[in-house]
Amino acid sequence: MSIYDQAAAAVLSQIATAADGALIGLALAYVAVRSIVKFKANSSALHKINDAPSLNVSDLRSLLSSSDNSDSSNHSDDGKLVIVRGTVEAKSAVEGNWKSLRANILSAHNSAEKGVILQHTQTCIYNEWRGFFSWAGDLYSIFPRVRKDQQSSSLRTVPFVLIETGRWPQPKYVNVNMDGSTHSLPLVTVYHHLQPLHATPLTFIQALFGHHYPVGVLDEEKILPLGKDITAIGVCSSKDGILEIKSCEDLPYFLSDMTKDQMLVELAFKTKILMWSGVLFGSVAVGVLGYAVVRNWNRWKLWRHQRQAQQQRDAASNDDDVQVSADEESGDVPDGQLCVICLTRRKRAAFVPCGHLVCCQRCALSVERDLAPKCPLCRQTIHSSVRIYDS
């Protein structure tokens, strides 16, 4: 670990332990709240998926018809949450008109594989080496936006449907509406190639002034191939007699390789993890915040008590100053008995614990009020002063 990393770690530890761990408690409380929010979302999704019927493509129309007949207030555009298992096929291949003679599909550039979704990703791989001017690399880590994006990705789709397996050439199908969907897709990698980059003078300069320099480009192509069996879970509706299914924002899945039972098992596991993590982090956060509150409350009470005692000492010193004789204030005082600070009054106060008698009562009180009170003679930390009286 470099000296910069050690300094950053020291600063972070001081910030984290500030106010007796209150900042740590707030961070744990935030994690607990986020876990509870995600637990509620996953629990709701779990109940929705459990209640959603798992159907074949041919059963969708009858389900929507029965739903409309049972409740006249529901419109067909509202749709119903369903789980459908089917095979991917291009929409142009099942339209049944002259357009089907030329299927509208996508072809991977490097592997020539056919599909309805094509994702092309290029990732720049960086090597890490701490050069002679390593502070530049630390600036890159603090301000990551200064560097260029390490990854560029493009996603292309064509209209496609899910057909019922084994019903070709006159299949029952449902259109898949990808508009507004941000869910992960069950894509298959068809091309994966790492192309190394040759060193250039620019690479040498980057390595000299920082510890990030490019060494290669990873080129990947992923597709959703034709004939792949997938599960679609979403809102199914009928528009102009054509079935369509679209994603539901409240659910973590849309198109997936998993079956309904596998989704339920995965969601149930995530729900338990989020619930117990929320309980654990919440309990620790309550304990840390409670400890911080008690410590700061006791510290405030101690400060208030010390302030009251200081005010009482100040009042007593003022009364004592009134009783100081005139010769002590401005009379004839030998040079060896003068206060080392004001040089006008007699030495009357001894510091505790060093015991040095070098100041008058007023100057001793002013020394005590400093943030770090020290004896003017030995520079030792003092706690208080004691008035000395002649016999």
Side-chain angles (χ1 to χ4, degrees):
M1 182 180 292
S2 66
I3 186 173
Y4 303 102
D5 297 335
Q6 293 177 358
V11 171
L12 290 177
S13 63
Q14 291 179 0
I15 295 176
T17 57
D20 294 317
L23 186 61
I24 296 178
L26 293 176
L28 293 174
Y30 174 77
V31 174
V33 171
R34 291 284 297 175
S35 299
I36 296 299
V37 171
K38 291 183 178 180
F39 162 74
K40 291 183 178 181
N42 279 268
S43 179
S44 176
L46 179 63
H47 288 90
K48 289 183 178 180
I49 294 177
N50 188 35
D51 296 338
S54 182
L55 305 171
N56 294 323
V57 178
S58 58
D59 300 329
L60 291 176
R61 196 175 299 275
S62 59
L63 175 66
L64 294 178
S65 300
S66 61
S67 177
D68 293 339
N69 294 332
S70 61
D71 189 359
S72 60
S73 62
N74 290 337
H75 300 284
S76 60
D77 291 340
D78 296 337
K80 185 175 179 62
L81 184 65
V82 296
I83 301 175
V84 182
R85 185 77 178 180
T87 304
V88 177
E89 186 57 62
K91 183 179 180 181
S92 58
V94 297
E95 286 180 342
N97 52 29
W98 62 272
K99 294 181 180 180
S100 61
L101 297 177
R102 184 178 179 182
N104 185 15
I105 57 177
L106 299 175
S107 177
H109 298 88
N110 298 286
S111 63
E113 296 286 343
K114 307 296 182 181
V116 293
I117 298 178
L118 174 62
Q119 184 181 25
H120 185 212
T121 305
Q122 283 188 335
T123 306
C124 188
I125 308 299
Y126 285 85
N127 191 16
E128 295 187 0
W129 178 76
R130 192 166 294 278
F132 297 103
F133 304 97
S134 57
W135 54 267
D138 296 325
L139 291 179
Y140 280 128
S141 61
I142 297 175
F143 304 102
R145 293 185 180 180
V146 176
R147 294 173 51 190
K148 295 182 180 179
D149 295 336
Q150 296 184 5
Q151 187 180 84
S152 61
S153 180
S154 62
L155 183 67
R156 296 175 56 195
T157 62
V158 296
F160 67 99
V161 298
L162 293 181
I163 64 174
E164 188 172 353
T165 306
R167 294 296 298 272
W168 190 265
Q170 294 180 351
K172 302 292 184 180
Y173 66 92
V174 55
N175 290 330
V176 179
N177 188 351
M178 295 289 296
D179 296 339
S181 175
T182 57
H183 300 80
S184 59
L185 300 173
L187 302 179
V188 178
T189 301
V190 294
Y191 182 76
H192 184 92
H193 178 67
L194 178 60
Q195 179 181 0
L197 296 178
H198 298 288
T200 63
L202 178 60
T203 305
F204 174 75
I205 295 176
Q206 290 176 333
L208 183 64
F209 287 92
H211 59 282
H212 294 284
Y213 59 94
V215 295
V217 176
L218 180 62
D219 197 358
E220 286 184 310
E221 283 185 344
K222 296 181 180 181
I223 65 169
L224 181 61
L226 300 176
K228 180 180 177 63
D229 292 336
I230 62 173
T231 301
I233 175 170
V235 179
C236 185
S237 59
S238 177
K239 294 183 179 180
D240 299 329
I242 300 177
L243 296 177
E244 182 182 83
I245 186 170
K246 62 181 179 179
S247 63
C248 182
E249 296 180 357
D250 298 335
L251 300 181
Y253 309 106
F254 178 37
L255 302 178
S256 175
D257 292 323
M258 296 185 295
T259 62
K260 177 180 178 180
D261 295 335
Q262 292 173 339
M263 293 179 187
L264 292 176
V265 170
E266 185 178 77
L267 272 180
F269 178 74
K270 289 182 179 180
T271 302
K272 290 181 180 179
I273 294 296
L274 290 172
M275 180 188 68
W276 287 111
S277 63
V279 172
L280 177 62
F281 284 112
S283 302
V284 176
V286 170
V288 173
L289 289 176
Y291 171 78
V293 169
V294 172
R295 288 276 298 177
N296 285 279
W297 174 256
N298 292 334
R299 186 176 298 173
W300 179 80
K301 290 196 299 183
L302 179 62
W303 173 81
R304 186 179 62 175
H305 176 73
Q306 292 177 350
R307 183 179 179 182
Q308 292 177 352
Q310 183 67 33
Q311 291 176 353
Q312 292 177 358
R313 288 197 299 268
D314 292 344
S317 65
N318 292 332
D319 295 339
D320 292 340
D321 290 340
V322 174
Q323 299 175 2
V324 174
S325 59
D327 61 337
E328 292 180 350
E329 290 294 335
S330 58
D332 296 333
V333 180
D335 293 340
Q337 297 182 9
L338 286 175
C339 173
V340 298
I341 296 179
C342 65
L343 299 176
T344 58
R345 291 181 290 272
R346 190 185 300 272
K347 300 176 183 178
R348 286 297 186 185
F351 293 114
V352 178
C354 65
H356 288 131
L357 179 63
V358 293
C359 295
C360 65
Q361 185 68 16
R362 291 183 181 179
C363 294
L365 291 176
S366 64
V367 171
E368 287 184 40
R369 295 190 186 100
D370 293 339
L371 295 177
K374 294 182 180 180
C375 175
L377 184 62
C378 65
R379 306 306 297 170
Q380 182 180 351
T381 302
I382 62 174
H383 302 297
S384 61
S385 63
V386 178
R387 172 70 182 272
I388 305 298
Y389 295 92
D390 296 334
S391 58

